[in-house]
Amino acid sequence: MEQTEHTLQGASCLVIGYGRIGALLAHKLHALDAAVTVSARSPRDFARIEADGMRALDTRSLAGRLSAFQLIFNTVPAPVLGAAELSSLSTGCLVIDLASLPGGISADAKLPAGCRLLHALSLPGRRTAVRGARHPRYGTHHFAGGIHIMTAPIRIGFALTGSFCTFARVMDVIQTLVRQGCEVTPILSFHAAQLDTRFGDAAMWRGKLFALTGRQPIDTIQAAEPIGPKGLFDVLVVAPCTGNTLAKLAHSVTDTPVVMAVKSHLRGDKPVVLAVSTNDGLSGSAANIGALLNRRYYYFVPFRQDAPDAKPRSLVADMERIPDTVQAALQGRQLQPLLLSPANV
């Protein structure tokens, strides 16, 4: 409230959704003397809302009806606010998305000038407090008897090596992790930090990483070395992980910021997640993959042959499964199945 200069007394508020969270929030706002409108879908909810002293709207017909609201809270985990709905927001409107993933704001939607969106995405309602502690957004604390409680957001070191053709997909994954509430710190190999390619120049990728995470990448061996001693991360992801990096990890070679980061992180017995991307995954790199699968604290993102006919020995991880692999690794298990059907099947 201090940052936005909004006060609740007399404020015109819209709560989208009248489930457990929506109903509780609406009642709290009403008790604080806000002018509360609640949108829902069923006639039964309309009757409940009006009986509770609030105004009811149909969630399916919000387009063109949002200009009257100073504060909008969404609790529906589906894209209920798209371009048509958001275009009618009044200047200075604050939209707060409280829904569980994927949230209620369409990915391509843009707010009008002068409006603000605050992402405060929550855990899905189906998760209990115990299961919620294992979600990628949260760290876990272990007590005797195996009890887990939610603590701080997960701290992820996210290392990129030189499979440049996968960088765009990896950026999408980093964005997803950040939106889930994870604290992501980028780490770059020498090649990833310095080489310009047909997929983009190094400065562009560095700028995108900073824009997504708010952190400058770790790009020197000296900067990577303290990762383990300082306990900087809960999990370290290497994505993409090239055949060159696989070989260095399998043979304990420490001559790039990424492999130093992995070596330093492992001294704390913490998980490392590898998302392979290599043209010799079923030839020269196969032995290195096998060696790392046989070592503690290494976990692989499920992978497949990406082009069995044109590149029969090439393997690429399903980058979209990185968040799920992180979740499994934090529980000490390998996400299954590990071997996926080829991309063209």
Side-chain angles (χ1 to χ4, degrees):
M1 291 170 58
E2 291 175 353
Q3 293 176 353
T4 62
E5 298 183 356
H6 284 288
T7 58
L8 290 176
Q9 185 176 18
S12 179
C13 301
L14 171 65
V15 177
I16 302 174
Y18 206 57
R20 289 170 296 178
I21 300 302
L24 180 63
L25 174 61
H27 292 157
K28 293 285 188 182
L29 292 171
H30 185 61
L32 291 168
D33 201 26
V36 182
T37 300
V38 183
S39 77
R41 292 176 180 265
S42 72
R44 183 178 65 178
D45 285 339
F46 297 156
R48 289 172 53 211
I49 293 165
E50 292 177 353
D52 288 337
M54 297 172 285
R55 182 174 172 233
L57 280 181
D58 192 323
T59 303
R60 294 163 291 193
S61 57
L62 293 177
R65 307 183 71 175
L66 301 184
S67 60
F69 301 108
Q70 299 168 269
L71 292 159
I72 297 175
F73 302 87
N74 175 63
T75 68
V76 177
V80 293
L81 293 178
E85 290 78 15
L86 295 174
S87 63
S88 62
L89 294 181
S90 61
T91 301
C93 181
L94 173 63
V95 181
I96 303 177
D97 199 351
L98 300 173
S100 58
L101 292 172
I105 314 298
S106 298
D108 58 348
K110 294 183 179 180
L111 273 65
C115 299
R116 291 185 57 204
L117 170 62
L118 178 62
H119 281 291
L121 303 185
S122 66
L123 291 173
R126 67 180 180 272
R127 297 181 185 272
T128 65
V130 172
R131 291 190 64 200
R134 302 188 183 108
H135 190 266
R137 183 175 179 175
Y138 296 96
T140 59
H141 193 81
H142 302 270
F143 293 93
I147 298 173
H148 295 71
I149 62 171
M150 286 183 285
T151 57
I154 286 295
R155 302 166 303 160
I156 301 176
F158 204 107
L160 291 83
T161 65
S163 181
F164 298 96
C165 61
T166 64
F167 273 25
R169 281 179 287 164
V170 167
M171 297 297 161
D172 290 339
V173 172
I174 292 174
Q175 184 177 48
T176 296
L177 291 170
V178 171
R179 284 179 173 176
Q180 288 177 349
C182 300
E183 296 179 358
V184 180
T185 301
I187 304 166
L188 297 175
S189 69
F190 290 134
H191 288 168
Q194 298 171 4
L195 296 184
D196 298 335
T197 73
R198 61 189 176 93
F199 300 103
D201 58 56
M204 182 269 288
W205 290 121
R206 182 184 292 271
K208 190 168 183 65
L209 286 168
F210 180 75
L212 289 173
T213 67
R215 293 172 169 84
Q216 291 291 352
I218 294 172
D219 58 2
T220 67
I221 292 176
Q222 297 94 313
E225 191 278 332
I227 286 173
K230 293 185 177 180
L232 296 184
F233 307 129
D234 301 303
V235 59
L236 181 63
V237 178
V238 184
C241 182
T242 61
N244 185 43
T245 300
L246 288 168
K248 292 176 185 292
L249 294 175
H251 293 88
S252 299
V253 176
T254 311
D255 61 355
T256 77
V258 170
V259 290
M260 172 56 82
V262 173
K263 177 181 179 180
S264 183
H265 178 76
L266 283 172
R267 67 183 282 176
D269 293 342
K270 295 180 179 180
V272 174
V273 171
L274 304 179
V276 301
S277 179
T278 175
N279 287 326
D280 69 344
L282 295 178
S283 56
S285 289
N288 297 324
I289 292 173
L292 294 171
L293 280 169
N294 199 40
R295 293 185 191 172
R296 293 184 67 187
Y297 308 116
Y298 280 104
Y299 302 89
F300 280 77
V301 179
F303 50 77
R304 58 164 55 90
Q305 289 179 274
D306 57 315
D309 295 324
K311 301 187 295 181
R313 289 166 292 281
S314 178
L315 291 178
V316 175
D318 185 344
M319 300 299 176
E320 293 183 355
R321 299 196 182 196
I322 289 174
D324 289 338
T325 309
V326 167
Q327 179 180 355
L330 288 168
Q331 300 174 38
R333 62 182 179 87
Q334 170 63 55
L335 188 67
Q336 299 292 346
L338 178 59
L339 303 177
L340 304 176
S341 298
N344 63 352
V345 173

